[in-house]
Each structure stands twice: as C-alpha cells, then as structure tokens.
Amino acid sequence: MSPASDKPAPRKAPKTVPPTLTLEMLVVGPRAGHVCGVDEAGRGPWAGPVSAAAVILDPNRIPKGIDDSKRLTAIQRERLEVEIMAKATAFAVAFASVEEIAELNILHATGLAMHRAVSALRPEPVHALVDGNYAFKLPCAVKTVVGGDGLSLSIAAASILAKVARDRLMAEMDDLHPGYGFRAHKGYGAPRHIEALRTLGPCPIHRLTWAPVRLMLEGGDPATLSPSTAEDSEAA
C-alpha cells in the first residue's frame, strides 16, 4: 500500500435537511387558525436597528428554495423575498431603533420589533413559532424553536425577510453616513468598521451602549475586545 493510500478520505460536508411545515402543523393540531414564523436580524452589530419579520405561509404556494437565510446567498435571499411577499398569506417586517436598543437593551428591543411585526399581520395568527429559546411576549401564543430557521419554513421565510430588509436599510445608511462601510459589513465588527471608528468616531446610528463603541468614546481601542464581548455587551 502506498503512503498516499494511507491518508484518510476527506470528510464530506454534512447534508442539511431543508425546513418543512411540520412544526406549523403540530403546534395548531386540529384547531383552526394561522401560524406565523418569527425571526430577527441584527442583534449583534455595533450599529443600526434590529429588525424582525413575521410570516404566515400559504401551504399551497410555498416558494421553492426557502431556507435559513444564513445558508443562502444575497441574490437568493433577494429573489426569495419577492416570492415570499407575493405568495405568503401574510407578512410584516418591523424594526426597533438604536434609541430603543439603548433604552430597553438588545433582548427586549428584539422582542419589541417582533411584537410590531406579529401585530401587523392580517389575518391574525393564533400561534407564533419564534426562532431561539426566549419566549417573547407577543399578541398570540408562542412556541420557541432553537435553530428554528433551519427547521420551520415559516421561520426561515421570516429570517429571509428580516435579513434582506435590514441589509437594505444599512446600505442606505452607508450613503447617509459614508466612511464606515455599512453597505459591506452591515454594522458588524469588521476590521474596516473598527478602523473607521478609530478615525471617525461614532455616528448617529452607532449603538453607544455597545462595548466597542463605548470603549472608543472612552479613548480605548475596540480591536482589543474579543468577539464575544463585543457582541454580548447588551444581550442581558
């Protein structure tokens, strides 16, 4: 046996199972009523609002390719946004502002954005499947689903709408506040963002209670923070 044949075969990437409507059917059971999926985008960035979307899918008109937004390219997300909006029974996207994040903290600001999105749905849902493990107070019954954007089609659809809406807004903020690169990194702690904070200081859409931004205001260097510290500074 040659030395080359002793090498272990390369591992294949695990196959991902696409989300389904199983959870939607289980949570309602024999009762009548609509189930919405709810997800957020933008909890971790150093700048910009947090967004949330709520979607009630029509089981007979499911756009092909719906999946966790993180598994999709920007082009795929934008295409699916159009299809979801055209074919869903109902959808809504809402935001919580930088000021609301500072007042409430990021967890409760996320809940506020979710509440706004679910409240805007017509017809009204009787149950909401929410991505994650925190049961936010919403206008209907709530079931949390850890990893829900990869399990539930409704949550996956919501993840796409929330992500595309926030990305679009941050591109607009890039024009309004040039120099930070918001269009590219969407407010996350990329090296370009750190350098811009160092040279320009914060702008009006920066989360001033966030550890990296607060450290900059105090004369420190956000590059010295670990990613977990930077992203979790307002999670409690």
Side-chain angles (χ1 to χ4, degrees):
M1 185 179 290
S2 65
S5 65
D6 292 335
K7 293 181 180 179
R11 290 185 178 180
K12 293 182 179 179
K15 292 183 178 180
T16 56
V17 178
T20 68
L21 287 177
T22 301
L23 290 174
E24 286 83 343
M25 292 185 290
L26 287 175
V27 77
V28 174
R31 294 176 298 161
H34 295 285
V35 177
C36 70
V38 186
D39 203 0
E40 54 76 27
R43 284 185 63 170
W46 302 356
V50 61
S51 65
V55 178
I56 300 173
L57 289 174
D58 181 343
N60 300 312
R61 303 180 71 208
I62 303 293
K64 185 178 180 180
I66 292 180
D67 205 341
D68 177 355
S69 64
K70 297 183 290 296
R71 297 176 185 168
L72 304 172
T73 66
I75 292 175
Q76 289 173 322
R77 289 193 296 266
E78 289 169 7
R79 174 184 61 80
L80 283 164
E81 178 199 38
V82 174
E83 290 194 50
I84 291 166
M85 289 180 170
K87 296 180 178 180
T89 299
F91 69 87
V93 179
F95 293 88
S97 68
V98 171
E99 293 76 17
E100 288 168 330
I101 292 171
E103 179 183 354
L104 301 173
N105 79 32
I106 187 59
L107 178 67
H108 296 297
T110 299
L112 176 61
M114 288 184 174
H115 193 284
R116 287 169 173 164
V118 175
S119 297
L121 293 176
R122 296 294 181 275
E124 298 177 1
V126 298
H127 218 111
L129 296 173
V130 179
D131 186 48
N133 62 2
Y134 192 91
F136 295 100
K137 186 176 181 181
L138 300 179
C140 60
V142 172
K143 177 176 177 57
T144 60
V145 186
V146 176
D149 43 9
L151 298 172
S152 158
L153 275 168
S154 300
I155 297 177
S159 78
I160 292 168
L161 296 194
K163 169 69 174 167
V164 174
R166 188 180 186 279
D167 284 359
R168 187 178 294 124
L169 178 63
M170 293 308 292
E172 295 172 3
M173 292 299 100
D174 190 56
D175 295 332
L176 191 60
H177 304 288
Y180 296 94
F182 291 137
R183 187 183 303 273
H185 56 66
K186 312 302 187 292
Y188 283 89
R192 178 181 178 183
H193 195 181
I194 293 174
E195 183 58 31
L197 270 174
R198 186 181 290 120
T199 57
L200 301 175
C203 76
I205 68 164
H206 275 101
R207 300 176 181 179
L208 299 183
T209 55
W210 235 241
V213 185
R214 188 173 67 244
L215 184 61
M216 173 61 65
L217 289 173
E218 295 170 352
D221 186 350
T224 62
L225 291 174
S226 68
S228 59
T229 302
E231 294 183 8
D232 295 343
S233 59
E234 277 292 299

